[in-house]
Amino acid sequence: MKVSFNQSLLENAVSSAISCVSNKNTMTAVGGLLIDCSGETAAQGRAVIVGYDLEKGIRVEFDADIIEPGGCIIDAQSFYSMIKLMPSGNILLEVDDSLRAKLSSGNSEYELNALAARDFPTLPDISNQKGFNIKQKDLKSIITQTLFAVAQNDARPAFNGALFKIKGNRITAVGCDSFRLAIRDKVCELENTSDGELDTSFIIPGRTLAEVVRLLDEPDEIVKINLGRKLVIFRFERRDIIFFSRLIESEYIDYERIIPKNSTIFVDIDSSLFLGALERASLVTDEAAGKHKSAARCNFTDNRLEIMSVSQSGRVRDEIAVSKTGPDIEIGFNCRYLTDALKACTAEKLRLALSSPFISMIIEPLEQDNDDRFTYLALPIKIPK
């Protein structure tokens, strides 16, 4: 195998593919990148780089000068570190019959061991083209406004992903980690590539969505989303990138049932003022000591909100003006949970709905739009008197 790459194209391809490499798996090949310069793509002067950790994977195709076709697996971290530091221009990759790989550019030369391409794990079938197309900016806003509420490592599989419900041109995304709930509901310009009307739901792992967000960097370009058997596929055709992931096969909670329906206290508040006060409070909240000691005490009285927090590192008190209807209430929240929601919400004015210190608070935009909505629930924390 002997291939000449443009250094910039190769670095971009590897930096994208390396996100799907795992160093925790016992299979050595999973810690590497498959470099495929054979078959029909090679005949067209195109190289393919694949990363796959058995849960999610990425395939990147780009131009290359293929002198002698072939394929191999190279350790991802070593390969990426080398090509980043090599001079700009062309990088020559040569792999001999003993699977010794040599990288050279100008007067710089590296050698490292490779593995045979046949040792790479078999990829799932990503040929399915049925699904829908959506603008990248729409998908990015939907993901970022729910991903923060997705659990990281919950014993309940469904909580480690976000639920997506597609009906017609309406997308509803839901994230929940049992302490908070985020719902994003948006009518989008969807192009249906399925048979019949779009009406489906699926759960995408949070780790997958975090990687997808990094790829959504062309706001007005579309991304094609296809659903295979137990699989979701994201196609970025302009950049010749295919990202795919296993879906979470589990029942999601009946999230609508847990939204409080009988709120008696309503507070209209400026989101930037609220966020600023909470960020100042977070400087003294002691989250390392546990969620009960990292509480921000929120006291809604008359037309003001007093936020207080006390920890071993200090004490803070802040006050902002609000517009309130209903009785006064004192309630505690994990400071980070509220700041995450406020950073994700783009509305300038918010409406908070409460009923008691023991029932979740609802956060929604003050100006409601049925075609573009965000709802956030925060579970309160019991605070000592």
Side-chain angles (χ1 to χ4, degrees), residues 360-375:
S360 296
M361 177 173 71
I362 304 172
I363 303 175
E364 292 182 309
L366 179 60
E367 299 293 333
Q368 293 284 7
D369 182 349
N370 288 331
D371 290 339
D372 192 354
R373 298 187 60 177
F374 172 87
T375 302

Side-chain angles (χ1 to χ4, degrees), residues 93-167:
L93 171 63
E94 300 173 87
V95 183
D96 61 24
D97 293 338
S98 62
L99 293 175
R100 190 69 178 170
K102 182 171 74 172
L103 279 171
S104 56
S105 178
N107 295 322
S108 301
E109 186 176 292
Y110 288 105
E111 286 193 12
L112 68 164
N113 293 323
L115 296 174
R118 64 177 177 272
D119 294 336
F120 201 74
T122 303
L123 300 180
D125 181 11
I126 57 174
S127 61
N128 188 11
Q129 298 282 339
K130 294 182 179 180
F132 59 94
N133 303 338
I134 183 174
K135 283 190 176 180
Q136 293 188 27
K137 62 183 178 183
D138 289 335
L139 182 61
K140 189 169 188 175
S141 74
I142 290 168
I143 294 175
T144 54
Q145 290 182 314
T146 48
L147 182 58
F148 68 90
V150 172
Q152 297 292 320
N153 193 25
D154 199 284
R156 295 157 294 186
F159 279 21
N160 296 317
L163 170 69
F164 283 78
K165 295 171 64 177
I166 320 292
K167 189 171 180 60

Side-chain angles (χ1 to χ4, degrees), residues 88-288:
S88 59
N90 290 331
I91 294 177
L92 183 66
L93 171 63
E94 300 173 87
V95 183
D96 61 24
D97 293 338
S98 62
L99 293 175
R100 190 69 178 170
K102 182 171 74 172
L103 279 171
S104 56
S105 178
N107 295 322
S108 301
E109 186 176 292
Y110 288 105
E111 286 193 12
L112 68 164
N113 293 323
L115 296 174
R118 64 177 177 272
D119 294 336
F120 201 74
T122 303
L123 300 180
D125 181 11
I126 57 174
S127 61
N128 188 11
Q129 298 282 339
K130 294 182 179 180
F132 59 94
N133 303 338
I134 183 174
K135 283 190 176 180
Q136 293 188 27
K137 62 183 178 183
D138 289 335
L139 182 61
K140 189 169 188 175
S141 74
I142 290 168
I143 294 175
T144 54
Q145 290 182 314
T146 48
L147 182 58
F148 68 90
V150 172
Q152 297 292 320
N153 193 25
D154 199 284
R156 295 157 294 186
F159 279 21
N160 296 317
L163 170 69
F164 283 78
K165 295 171 64 177
I166 320 292
K167 189 171 180 60
N169 62 349
R170 181 181 294 272
I171 297 182
T172 302
V174 184
C176 181
D177 62 2
S178 74
F179 298 105
R180 50 188 171 170
L181 172 72
I183 305 170
R184 185 74 167 87
D185 188 73
K186 184 176 177 65
V187 173
C188 304
E189 294 179 16
L190 297 185
E191 180 186 353
N192 185 2
T193 57
S194 296
D195 299 328
E197 185 182 4
L198 278 172
D199 188 0
T200 185
S201 64
F202 46 90
I203 305 173
I204 302 179
R207 292 187 179 92
T208 293
L209 293 173
E211 298 301 335
V212 170
V213 166
R214 295 188 180 98
L215 295 171
L216 296 170
D217 58 3
E218 298 176 308
D220 293 321
E221 294 291 326
I222 67 165
V223 54
K224 297 186 174 183
I225 302 178
N226 307 129
L227 297 170
R229 184 174 178 271
K230 304 179 182 180
L231 199 70
V232 61
I233 306 153
F234 300 86
R235 302 182 190 275
F236 302 84
E237 292 195 341
R238 200 187 70 80
R239 289 180 287 164
D240 287 312
I241 294 176
I242 300 175
F243 185 93
F244 56 93
S245 169
R246 294 185 185 276
L247 295 170
I248 295 176
E249 296 181 83
S250 180
E251 287 292 323
Y252 207 76
I253 59 169
D254 184 1
Y255 62 91
E256 293 182 347
R257 183 179 59 83
I258 64 176
I259 301 174
K261 304 296 191 296
N262 300 309
S263 300
T264 56
I265 305 165
F266 298 93
V267 179
D268 298 343
I269 191 169
D270 184 284
S271 61
S272 61
L273 293 179
F274 194 17
L275 176 59
L278 289 168
E279 287 182 324
R280 290 188 288 274
S282 69
L283 296 177
V284 300
T285 55
D286 189 8
E287 189 158 334

